[in-house]
Amino acid sequence: MTIPESVPLLLTVEDYARRAKELLPSGMWGTLYGDDGAPDFRAETGNVEAFRAIRFRPRVLVDVQHRNLATEALGAPISLPVMIAPSGHQQRVHRDGETATARAAAASGTIMVLSTASSFSIEEVALAASGTLWFQLYWMRDRRVTQWLVRRAEDSGYKAIVLTVDMPGIRSRERDVRHEWNLADESKLGRTLEPDRLLRNFSGLEQAIPGAEAPTQAAFNEAWDDSVTWKDLDWLRSFTTLPIVLKGVQTAEDAELAVQYGAEGLIVSNHGGFALDDATPTIEVLPEVAEVVNGRLEVFLDGGVRTGSDVLKALALGARAVLLGRAPHWALAVNGEQGLRDLLEILRIELNVAMAFAGTADVNRVNAAIIRRG
Amino acid sequence: MTIPESVPLLLTVEDYARRAKELLPSGMWGTLYGDDGAPDFRAETGNVEAFRAIRFRPRVLVDVQHRNLATEALGAPISLPVMIAPSGHQQRVHRDGETATARAAAASGTIMVLSTASSFSIEEVALAASGTLWFQLYWMRDRRVTQWLVRRAEDSGYKAIVLTVDMPGIRSRERDVRHEWNLADESKLGRTLEPDRLLRNFSGLEQAIPGAEAPTQAAFNEAWDDSVTWKDLDWLRSFTTLPIVLKGVQTAEDAELAVQYGAEGLIVSNHGGFALDDATPTIEVLPEVAEVVNGRLEVFLDGGVRTGSDVLKALALGARAVLLGRAPHWALAVNGEQGLRDLLEILRIELNVAMAFAGTADVNRVNAAIIRRG
Amino acid sequence: MTIPESVPLLLTVEDYARRAKELLPSGMWGTLYGDDGAPDFRAETGNVEAFRAIRFRPRVLVDVQHRNLATEALGAPISLPVMIAPSGHQQRVHRDGETATARAAAASGTIMVLSTASSFSIEEVALAASGTLWFQLYWMRDRRVTQWLVRRAEDSGYKAIVLTVDMPGIRSRERDVRHEWNLADESKLGRTLEPDRLLRNFSGLEQAIPGAEAPTQAAFNEAWDDSVTWKDLDWLRSFTTLPIVLKGVQTAEDAELAVQYGAEGLIVSNHGGFALDDATPTIEVLPEVAEVVNGRLEVFLDGGVRTGSDVLKALALGARAVLLGRAPHWALAVNGEQGLRDLLEILRIELNVAMAFAGTADVNRVNAAIIRRG
Amino acid sequence: MTIPESVPLLLTVEDYARRAKELLPSGMWGTLYGDDGAPDFRAETGNVEAFRAIRFRPRVLVDVQHRNLATEALGAPISLPVMIAPSGHQQRVHRDGETATARAAAASGTIMVLSTASSFSIEEVALAASGTLWFQLYWMRDRRVTQWLVRRAEDSGYKAIVLTVDMPGIRSRERDVRHEWNLADESKLGRTLEPDRLLRNFSGLEQAIPGAEAPTQAAFNEAWDDSVTWKDLDWLRSFTTLPIVLKGVQTAEDAELAVQYGAEGLIVSNHGGFALDDATPTIEVLPEVAEVVNGRLEVFLDGGVRTGSDVLKALALGARAVLLGRAPHWALAVNGEQGLRDLLEILRIELNVAMAFAGTADVNRVNAAIIRRG
């Protein structure tokens, strides 16, 4: 994709959103990537607005000459506390799809979480880049398939399993129908998606597991197991040594259970507004989760992060790092791998500036004293 | 009514509102069915906005494979916790009026509450459909008429008397005058209302009760008894064994009195904005009512319900089921009985999805822990 | 003034505002009578919005058959708890000015408070109508003039002195200049004001009090005494037996002082937005004032009252009655005496309806239990 | 600059903002002087809105005949509690730049704080006017330069050093790039800036301090020392006897440190929105700062002050005086020295009126009782 000379300036994450909205088919934007206050995305709108409402208490005359943005996630170094959230079908916004994302994440020194629903396979993405990768897992009804996915991730060097727990095999179809956007109908996708790249990770399933049936895109959600409970995590443990991160925790109660059942990490998330309307904004959930966890596992957050100061707020309220869900799609749509590298650089600079202004020099030592109470 | 091909999609309750607004005479919309923020409907606008402000605390890794939406209302099974509130003159929006509503409610496995001011009679509606019916009663000054109505409902198999307590024989005429909509002037009604169907339940009154006078539409409210108090409920009990549901309770104090005076149920309602401007939104009243009632009678709610997640919020805050007031008119106007069946199906699906996302599998076990405090 | 056939409906107080805005010169509207959110009237906008934010807790199954709207103000009966606040120069909006207002107030069974700055004199207004009148007093630097005004009011049968305490001889000229509206320049007034009717109450001053100087309109405020304090009320008492009502009390502290210094009444008022920008809305001030006063004097309120439900809110929060400041000008401009009678009738009906809905049958027994806390 | 006859009225500070926006190049407005809610100035927007949300509790029957607006700042008399905040490059908006500002401040009886980045030198400004001047200091990495600046200020009769502590040598470039406004590119400045007046205070640096290097505009921020901490204040004390005022304190914790480390004053400031997005509005920070300081040093505030009532609010909440940052640029752009004199006169009149209305006669005795709690 060649960006014409006349593009608006791309100085912020929201600039990428605006540009991507112009570039993408409107149905795709409205169905998948929008964040502009449509009622059917109001949980994500809530996420963004909740960040805006939080005020800083900046400290002064602190030595901020040497600022450190680097930290670790499950032991792996990241150069800034911003990671790539899992999201599927990235080839729809750029030909190189998840391989571009993985290369950008690696180049920027951060971790990409690959979606089960990726358009490049676990193995293809592992080969594409040298950075740390985590694998996001939808727990399939056919447990053999679940196990097959996890083992492939482990074999390909992925460093954690991110189990999505906020999408129990059901979702609203309103957006799809409203925008007349049929995810399964390739002829409407219009862009660069290659025919065999929908649910790429399930290619070869029939050969690998006799009797197993690869899910269709149209019925993908229905293949997920909505009867999984905390006790089933033991089964996952039984065949993988990878750390487990639970994505979608939204209450202190479930954070405590995550600790009790031995998860190594959790992501406070409401699935970017794709799950329950009127879910509590993630940045408002974070404090109760961080308090109950009290360091017993690693806490991450996604939903609504648009600026470096948002990242700093999340760190102050207890997150080790944040993950970006929509923004990587925006960046890929605008300029592929380079777009995402540029977008991550914007956040790095904004976070760096925000830290200096807030009087906090190390992402590992940010605390809630820089946030206004009440 | 034939819906042309080009109609907007009807995917949500609010889609039905928008479509109905296009189809109905503007005066009728503004006088009776609007909910689009006109100042003279601001109590209903408040009801809707109050639902929007409530946030969920979704639980995860709960087994939600088998979700149950069925419950009971005064012992009668309903397939989803959404019932049809009483509202009059339904033939004005569709030729089949309340008979269509009754058939749709029965087909959808829920209860319809028939209004005293219906355009089909108690008996006609009972014959039209096989579902459970309740009868809404305006207490008439002429107690013989009141008794006559209740006995006919009982004789026709209605299962409860819903006594409206928030409309003491007076109401604002501003909307009628503003919209130049004269309820009593049939020539202006314009649509399908048949001449003899205004206050159909009072046909034959003069023959049935010597000396009694059938109210005119213009003076209908004035025929109600605005001197009725709690003690008068005994008189109602004296000639009917049907359970009594009080519609319009809006305080904990009156909920306690409802228990004391032996009501079997109550509906938290502010008459959908037709009563007092700036009444407290019903979903905000519900918690204090449910707390004081503490299971001693059945609590219902109407006002502002537009989505399945609204239904779930009401259940979480103490309602056994909700009732729809305006929405059935919208659905009838758009597509008659089928419209209402479709609308109820939308709510069923939305509630089903919301329950899965919230991690709650049975409408009978929803509790306030899934709602954010403060 | 003949109202053409095509006027919008006049069903609410705000309808009168809209109509008056069309009829009056825009500079006059903006300088004196506007309430449409101009920044320079933001205290009045705040008054209106604060009323909107208050929610009712309506009671049901109360006998509201016989509703009483009549009460007393300083011993004088009023047929509804809505009185006419003092405001000057009413001939600018209608030829009959304050005489029309007085006749409308009398016909409607309520009290008019005549402004010191009226365009008809104390005596002329007393002759024009038979209702109860109170006299609003600006305390003049020349105490002989102050005494002369009070004595004339007493002699003419006025029943109370309403001493304005929130206008200490200074005010912002921004509105005047902004709207190029020169109060003193009769040639710009444009409407029906007769040349000798500006500050009509000061006609004959030079003859009555040798050496005293009648104030000019341009310097009227400067003639007020901004050194008056609580102790000076004794001087007022020394030559009049009329009860004293302090207009402009805005804190519990000053309400307590009003009691201590023997005032018979007070009006919670911020001068309708003509005094201090960002004054606390009067309906928000009322509870602290009513609590401290605890019945030791009579509490009234003006500012922001637009509907019958506003009146009911003020009564519930401790006011004996409310006063209307701008609304009488709107009504006079639209239709003279009849306009004001109609406007008062609108409020009477609205209050009557609101009382029935709220389950409160007597204006003398309304209490804060019908208002939602917090 | 000649103001044409048709200009809008200049009656308020915001009138000056509107007029200046018309007169200035849009890029300059957007980069430096805007306050119209652009997202990248949202901390300043927050400052303004926070003032609006504060409500008065006006007292009545207080003798306000003789009102005193005069006070002292670090012992120097000021005729009103409104001073000129430091801001650089004032020649960009008017040929006479800081000399005009200094003359206006002196004529109005208040203090100007000269910026390190001024377009007229420390000495030139001292010669231009006879009023009290303070000198704002950016702490330069090359401490010889820092010392040189302070000594020159002291030698020229400046009465205090205002050390900026909220700008640690880094800032967002988004505004500059967005508005294509290159501060260092004189050819784009377009107006009256003379080539040698960027960073005028550094002229002659190479001659004065062998080996020192004058900063360029483009890299000016980078010349600041971002490693300065509280202990370094001792070094500043070692060569100047001028009182030290810390500009940019935003927490009670840092206010306490300011006292501990012997500062004579502090300015609650978030750099007018040029520092951290979503900083807490200064008027919301002021109470916690004033409480902890408890008179041990002098507290000032800038950010969001637009009206005389804003000034009164700041005094009530603990400020001795406020400083204006953007407003002087607006006034200079509109009408040079006279513009700023007029603007200060507007605030003087507005404050005077607000004091009378609030019932408080002396700026030195204003207290929080006139502000509504909660």
Side-chain angles (χ1 to χ4, degrees), chain B residues 72-74 78 83 134 245 264-269 286 289 298-302 318-323:
Chain B
E72 291 185 352
L74 298 180
I78 47 178
M83 298 161 49
W134 293 358
V245 178
E264 279 79 6
L266 67 81
I267 304 174
V268 176
S269 172
L286 181 59
V289 166
E298 298 189 9
V299 174
F300 303 89
L301 172 144
D302 71 26
R320 175 174 287 262
V322 301
L323 295 92

Side-chain angles (χ1 to χ4, degrees), chain A residues 188-200:
Chain A
K188 283 193 179 175
L189 294 177
R191 287 174 60 86
T192 56
L193 188 74
E194 294 157 10
D196 60 344
R197 291 210 166 274
L198 270 175
L199 301 183
R200 178 71 165 184

Side-chain angles (χ1 to χ4, degrees), chain B residues 253-254 278 280 284 288, chain C residues 56-57 59-60 313 372:
Chain B
E253 296 91 316
D254 283 340
D278 297 329
T280 307
E284 293 184 13
E288 78 177 52
Chain C
F56 283 110
R57 303 179 72 248
R59 300 299 301 271
V60 299
K313 289 172 180 177
R372 188 167 201 221

Side-chain angles (χ1 to χ4, degrees), chain D residues 323-345:
Chain D
L323 295 93
L324 304 177
R326 280 174 174 78
H329 292 85
W330 300 335
L332 286 184
V334 171
N335 202 18
E337 175 190 338
Q338 188 60 45
L340 181 50
R341 292 170 69 157
D342 291 346
L343 182 142
L344 286 166
E345 203 56 28

Side-chain angles (χ1 to χ4, degrees), chain B residues 209-224:
Chain B
I209 308 177
E213 200 176 338
T216 63
Q217 176 62 37
F220 182 44
N221 288 29
E222 291 155 29
W224 307 345

Side-chain angles (χ1 to χ4, degrees), chain A residues 72-74 76-78 82-85 105-106 109-113 131-134 323:
Chain A
E72 291 184 352
L74 298 180
I78 47 179
V82 179
M83 298 160 49
I84 309 299
T110 193
I111 293 170
M112 175 197 185
V113 187
T132 302
L133 296 168
W134 293 358
L323 296 93

Side-chain angles (χ1 to χ4, degrees), chain A residues 212-268:
Chain A
E213 199 176 341
T216 64
Q217 177 61 37
F220 182 44
N221 288 29
E222 291 155 30
W224 306 345
D225 188 349
D226 52 358
S227 72
V228 175
T229 69
W230 293 98
K231 289 173 304 204
D232 296 303
L233 295 180
D234 286 345
W235 175 76
L236 198 55
R237 292 277 184 217
S238 71
F239 60 87
T240 182
T241 58
L242 290 179
I244 296 174
V245 177
L246 300 178
K247 175 168 177 286
V249 170
Q250 297 175 69
T251 59
E253 295 92 315
D254 283 341
E256 176 62 30
L257 287 170
V259 173
Q260 299 297 333
Y261 282 91
E264 278 80 6
L266 67 82
I267 305 174
V268 175

